[in-house]
Amino acid sequence: AVPEAVFFPYTDDLTPIRNQIRQADGVLIGCGCGASPQTDHLLCAALENAKKTLIIDADGINRLSRNIDLLKTEHAPVILTPHPGEMARLCGTSVQKVQENRLQTAKDFALLHGVTVVLKGHETVIAMPDGRCFVNHSGNAGMATGGSGDLLAGILAAFLCIMPLDDAVCAAVFVHGLAGDFSAQRYSMTSTTPTTILKCLPFVFREIEQGKIV
């Protein structure tokens, strides 16, 4: 339960959702959506109506991999946040091939489709559509658990509302990894879950606000 969240009810009539998407500073789709035609309809609505930035994660990526040409309908910057398996599906290759050259794989896809790619995993790779790439060094193996990527997507969506896209992506990946490191220190790497990472976010923000992390 997230009692602080302001929500908008979803119905089969997508017109209200389309209007909300057009007004949003950032849109995130895919987390927990499931592999269904309904997800396809929502993904198309997001690609066609987002005016600022659209983040596609999880099942949104899996549905997009079935029809990559949907990216041609986008009207706003797109950020994809795949794990290696999802990246393999997007590229029509194997996880092994993706992992053998993570940076080049992400860079080639970003350049080809004009999107930003956040290839998750050990030393997450951020590839920009202009060819720039960054490698993140925060985080640990304890974060390789279901739901951790959803938390990253949520942090990124929030950051997009307060800073430029490039800064938001790099900051979100770094902060997410650092919260994972705090969790490993406080709870142990074995006990780290998305919930413990979330609980550590306030401590990360405090360190940043106090100038202890720059």
Side-chain angles (χ1 to χ4, degrees), residues 103-117:
L103 193 148
Q104 195 63 48
T105 299
K107 180 178 180 179
D108 288 347
F109 191 93
L111 286 170
L112 178 63
H113 296 285
V115 299
T116 298
V117 175

Side-chain angles (χ1 to χ4, degrees), residues 83-102:
H83 58 55
E86 292 163 346
M87 191 77 230
R89 285 190 281 277
L90 283 170
C91 296
T93 187
S94 66
V95 174
Q96 181 180 347
K97 290 292 185 183
V98 170
Q99 294 293 72
E100 284 175 354
N101 201 338
R102 289 167 50 80

